[in-house]
Each structure stands twice: as C-alpha cells, then as structure tokens.
C-alpha cells in the first residue's frame, strides 16, 4: 500500500479494528502517521509499504528459568515496536530506529557472527538474516523505519521486541506471513545468543512473538509448549504495574551471562546439560564437591531455579483454578527467591546503586500484603513488577513517581496478539 493511501486509511479510522491493541486509537494514529512520514523522508514517499507491530513483554513468574529448560508465565503488553517497511531488490538492508543511527548491511555480509560488533543492533539484524538463510526461509533486502514504546532499559524486552521485529519484516515482505510466530522467536534467540553475544533464554522472544498471557514450558528447547492462560486482572481488582527505576543496564552483560553459566555449571557437575531434571536432593548429596568446584553462589542460583520452576507450574495451576490469591502469593515468593538465592537485584560491583532494592522496599511497605511484587526481567537494574489493587493505583503511582521520576510507573494491559502485520 502506498504511504499516502495508508495515512488516509488511518485518518479515517482504520485503527478501530485494533482497539484491543491500541485503546487510544487517536494517539496511535498520530504515532503511525509520524512513522510513515519519517520513512517517506528517508526512503521515498512513493514506496509500497507494510505497517507491522511487535509487543514488549512482561515476565510474570519464572525468573531466569527459560535458559535452563524451565517453565515461565509471561504476557505481551500494550507497548510495542511499530515498523514501516518496504522491499528492496538489491539485497541491501537499511533500518533506521527512531533516535538511533541507521544500520545497513547486505545479505551477503550476514554469514559470520565474528564480523559484527557485539551488543549492537546491526548484529541482531545480521543474526536474523543468517538464520533465515540457514533455514531456507525467503529473504531479501528492505528499507525500514521503527518507532518503539518498549524503551531500552525498561525491562520490557526492548531487544527481543526488536529482534522479532526484524524477523516479522522478512516474514511479511518475503514469506507472506507464513512463518509461525514460534519460529520467529527461535530465530530471534539465535540472533541474540550468537551475534549479539548475550546468552539469553527463549522466554522474551517467545512472549513477544506469540502474544497474550501464556504459560511456556521449555523442557524441549527446540519445541517449547505454549499454553494460553485466561486472567483478567481488572476483574480480579488489580492493576499490573511496571516501575522503571531508571538504573542503567550498561556494562551488566557479564552479570546476566553469569546466571545461566553458573546454573549450567552446576548441572554439568551433576551430569546434566541443563538444570531441568536436577533435584535439590541431587545438590545436597553432592554439596562438598559443588562448593569446592563452583562456589556457593552457583549453588544458590541452582536452588532458585529448581524452586522457581516448580513455582511457575504451581502458578499456572492456581490461575487455572481461579485462585488469584494463591497466584499472588507465588509471585511474592518468586521475588523473594530472586532476591535471596538468584541474587539479581543489584550488581555486586555497584553496591551503592540499588534502585530495584529501594523500589521493592517501598512497594512492600505500601502494599502490606494486599498485592504482589517482584523483580521484573533480567534484574540488576531496570524495573520491578507490582500487582496493585486498582483502588490504590493513584496513590502507588504518586509514591513511586515521587522517588523515581515522573512517568516511572506504568499500568499495563496484556495484549492479545504478538508479532503482526497491521496493514
């Protein structure tokens, strides 16, 4: 569709059919038209374009379990990356993200991870292209402009939303949208692990790609089981809040990488590839050897995994039975375990910077047992998650914004769709 035609359709109310994704259709329309104008200025206004969307995600329970074949509950959220994209026939990719320099590469460049700067958006694009080519998926050049409400460092998986967005572009420009969302998640994880250099699990990418409120079992890591969960927080009387403490994730990749690496080291010492299937009894029976070989922190992180994996299954069962109170207790237990055993609330090398600890302490005092709270996402900096009674939301927002700055608190909704083509 031509840019001017798409702008006209949006101006005439075409977004009404996506009200579940964009409750404020007027604001969404302005955002889309701005993105279309930016694309036209960069790449030409007479192009045939598609308009795409990929949401961020909110981790509900299952902190750092996905990378060791564990279980999680996650939800796509109504904050997304939107993309305007058009085909190129010369094998060149140009992608400009709002607020960042343009990335360019040719399809022929994408074959070697060592050729790309680690922790760069260009590496993520190259990794996605390389996996598409390896799997025999249709692939080609494109021009694209992205605009994101999944802000970097927000704890809502900005990198996963971006990775899945690149796959979503290729899927709809060259494969007519036939590649399943789950496959886009695996492609995105490959790009992050092998090209970007971060050994993440699959939860972030899967939640962004699939959408909705889901229970995911990664026991078979090449074919994860995804089960939709029905939960209306509004009906239960709670708001799902994410509080951005505005701590920096810069220079924390080694902290993140240490968690899966230490967990796998414990598993390997016990004769396993990952911790799924290892029991606490296995750890107790081999404690002297594990302590001398790997140290106490690795053991504590392994214990967190074992209990958290079981906790995610218990949370799924509680929601299936409509037991919201038990579910909220399990969320708090997850946060407590992350703090004490996983130890991802602040970085040991930066002990004076404890924004997450402060946010958790304030939320604990405010809720006083009336909701739930825990670290959100990878940890060490960024955000916490809180289930706040809706009649206390305004007071909670005022408290947290007063400490962490205006707009730090976001009340989110779960988005029913993952990676999609809008027009």
């Amino acid at each position: 569709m031509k840019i001017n035609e798409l702008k006209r359709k949006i101006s005439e109310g075409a977004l009404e059919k996506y009200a579940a994704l964009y409750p404020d259709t007027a604001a969404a329309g302005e955002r889309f038209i701005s993105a279309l104008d930016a694309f036209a200025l960069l790449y030409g206004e007479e192009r045939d374009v598609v308009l795409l969307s990929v949401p961020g995600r909110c981790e509900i329970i299952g902190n750092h379990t996905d990378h060791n074949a564990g279980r999680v509950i996650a939800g796509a959220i109504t904050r997304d990356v939107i993309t305007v994209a058009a085909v190129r026939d010369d094998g060149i990719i140009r992608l400009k993200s709002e607020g960042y320099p343009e990335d360019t590469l040719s399809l022929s460049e994408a074959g070697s991870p060592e050729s790309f700067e680690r922790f760069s958006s260009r590496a993520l694009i190259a990794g996605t292209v390389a996996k598409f080519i390896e799997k025999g998926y249709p692939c080609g050049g494109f021009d694209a402009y992205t605009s994101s409400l999944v802000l970097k460092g927000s704890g809502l998986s900005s990198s996963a939303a971006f990775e899945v967005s690149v796959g979503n572009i290729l899927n709809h420009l060259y494969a007519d949208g036939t590649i399943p969302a789950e496959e886009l998640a695996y492609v995105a994880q490959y790009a992050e692990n092998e090209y970007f250099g971060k050994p993440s699990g699959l939860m972030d990418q899967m939640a962004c790609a699939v959408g909705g409120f889901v229970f995911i079992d990664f026991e078979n890591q090449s074919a994860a089981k995804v089960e939709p969960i029905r939960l209306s927080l509004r009906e239960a009387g709670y708001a799902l809040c994410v509080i951005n403490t505005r701590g920096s994730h810069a220079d924390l990749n080694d902290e993140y990488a240490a968690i899966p690496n230490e967990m796998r080291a414990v598993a390997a010492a016990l004769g396993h590839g990952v911790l799924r299937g290892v029991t606490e009894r296995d750890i107790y029976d081999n404690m002297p050897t594990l302590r001398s070989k790997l140290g106490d922190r690795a053991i504590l992180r392994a214990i967190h995994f074992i209990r958290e994996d079981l906790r995610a299954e218990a949370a799924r069962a509680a929601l299936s039975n409509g037991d919201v109170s038990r579910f909220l207790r399990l969320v708090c237990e997850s946060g407590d375990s992350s703090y004490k055993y996983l130890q991802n609330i602040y970085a040991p090398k930066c002990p004076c910077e404890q924004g997450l600890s402060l946010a958790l302490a304030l939320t604990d005092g405010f809720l006083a047992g009336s909701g739930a709270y825990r670290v959100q996402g990878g940890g060490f900096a960024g955000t916490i998650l809180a289930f706040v009674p809706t009649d206390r939301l305004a007071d909670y927002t005022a408290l947290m914004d007063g400490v962490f700055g205006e707009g730090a608190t976001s009340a989110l909704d779960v988005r029913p769709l993952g990676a999609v083509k809008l027009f």
Side-chain angles (χ1 to χ4, degrees):
M1 188 180 300
K2 299 294 185 184
I3 290 175
N4 285 338
E5 181 184 356
L6 184 48
K7 287 169 63 176
R8 178 183 56 78
K9 285 175 65 72
I10 292 171
S11 297
E12 292 175 352
L15 285 176
E16 292 295 334
K17 66 179 179 179
Y18 295 115
L21 308 187
Y22 306 104
D24 187 344
T25 54
E30 292 178 4
R31 179 180 171 221
F32 292 151
I33 289 173
S34 177
L36 288 162
D37 287 339
F39 178 95
L41 186 64
L42 287 167
Y43 304 122
E45 62 182 1
E46 294 303 318
R47 306 286 294 278
D48 284 311
V49 300
V50 294
L51 184 58
L52 310 166
S53 169
V54 172
R57 72 93 184 95
C58 190
E59 175 193 286
I60 307 300
I61 202 165
N63 197 213
H64 280 284
T65 56
D66 56 333
H67 46 61
N68 269 259
R71 291 168 280 195
V72 304
I73 295 176
I77 59 168
T78 48
R79 288 195 176 191
D80 65 346
V81 176
I82 61 169
T83 303
V84 182
V87 168
R88 291 178 64 99
D89 59 9
D90 59 0
I92 301 296
I93 290 173
R94 299 188 298 180
L95 190 154
K96 175 72 168 71
S97 294
E98 183 178 11
Y100 295 91
E102 180 186 66
D103 289 309
T104 64
L105 72 152
S106 67
L107 298 185
S108 60
E109 290 181 273
S112 174
E114 295 77 19
S115 303
F116 297 90
E117 179 184 354
R118 290 294 173 114
F119 312 122
S120 68
S121 54
R122 189 167 181 264
L124 291 174
I125 298 168
T128 303
V129 169
K131 181 56 78 170
F132 260 67
I133 293 172
E134 177 189 315
K135 294 181 75 69
Y137 293 151
C139 191
F142 61 80
D143 290 329
Y145 179 86
T146 75
S147 175
S148 179
L149 294 180
V150 190
L151 301 179
K152 187 176 181 179
S154 66
L156 300 175
S157 289
S158 59
S159 61
F162 178 82
E163 296 154 14
V164 175
S165 291
V166 177
N168 203 34
I169 293 168
L170 293 171
N171 190 20
H172 287 284
L173 288 183
Y174 289 100
D176 199 28
T178 59
I179 301 172
E182 291 84 354
E183 283 297 307
L184 295 182
Y186 285 110
V187 169
Q189 184 199 24
Y190 171 83
E192 180 156 317
N193 290 174
E194 302 301 325
Y195 279 71
F196 190 74
K198 184 175 178 181
S200 71
L202 186 59
M203 179 193 67
D204 295 352
Q205 295 86 355
M206 191 66 73
C208 293
V210 173
F213 195 65
V214 291
F215 172 81
I216 311 173
D217 187 336
F218 294 106
E219 183 172 22
N220 181 347
Q221 294 188 297
S222 63
K225 296 179 181 178
V226 181
E227 175 187 329
I229 293 177
R230 186 192 177 279
L231 172 64
S232 172
L233 291 173
R234 290 181 180 178
E235 290 178 8
Y238 292 93
L240 174 63
C241 295
V242 169
I243 299 83
N244 187 354
T245 66
R246 296 185 166 127
S248 174
H249 286 90
D251 300 321
L252 290 177
N253 285 300
D254 57 337
E255 299 286 359
Y256 295 123
I259 293 176
N261 290 342
E262 289 180 11
M263 287 183 177
R264 291 193 186 102
V266 173
L270 297 173
H272 293 255
V274 292
L275 280 176
R276 181 70 174 266
V278 174
T279 67
E280 286 195 50
R281 174 51 56 190
D282 294 329
I283 291 175
Y284 301 155
D285 289 345
N286 293 274
M287 189 70 76
T289 300
L290 293 174
R291 291 191 73 193
S292 63
K293 182 178 181 181
L294 302 174
D296 293 338
R297 189 176 72 171
I299 296 169
L300 288 166
R301 286 175 164 173
I303 290 171
H304 164 81
F305 171 89
I306 293 167
R307 296 178 184 176
E308 183 79 346
D309 183 51
L310 295 173
R311 194 176 291 118
E313 171 59 31
R316 183 201 66 79
L319 291 174
S320 297
N321 294 327
D323 191 345
V324 175
S325 294
R326 173 159 171 71
F327 165 73
L328 293 175
R329 289 196 299 273
L330 290 165
V331 169
C332 287
E333 289 179 17
S334 171
D336 187 57
S337 180
S338 294
Y339 211 143
K340 292 192 298 189
Y341 308 134
L342 185 60
Q343 300 179 32
N344 68 331
I345 306 304
Y346 64 91
K349 62 185 177 183
C350 304
C352 293
E353 298 177 17
Q354 295 200 37
L356 295 184
S357 305
L358 181 58
L360 291 167
L362 293 170
T363 303
D364 181 27
F366 180 89
L367 293 178
S370 63
Y373 58 95
R374 47 155 286 186
V375 64
Q376 147 70 16
F380 298 111
T383 62
I384 71 162
L385 174 74
F387 292 83
V388 180
T390 52
D391 61 355
R392 304 185 67 196
L393 177 59
D395 290 340
Y396 180 70
T397 300
L399 170 66
M400 302 307 280
D401 284 10
V403 175
F404 298 106
E406 189 69 25
T409 308
S410 300
L412 304 173
D413 286 325
V414 174
R415 162 173 155 148
L417 299 177
V420 294
K421 174 185 174 183
L422 300 173
F423 299 102

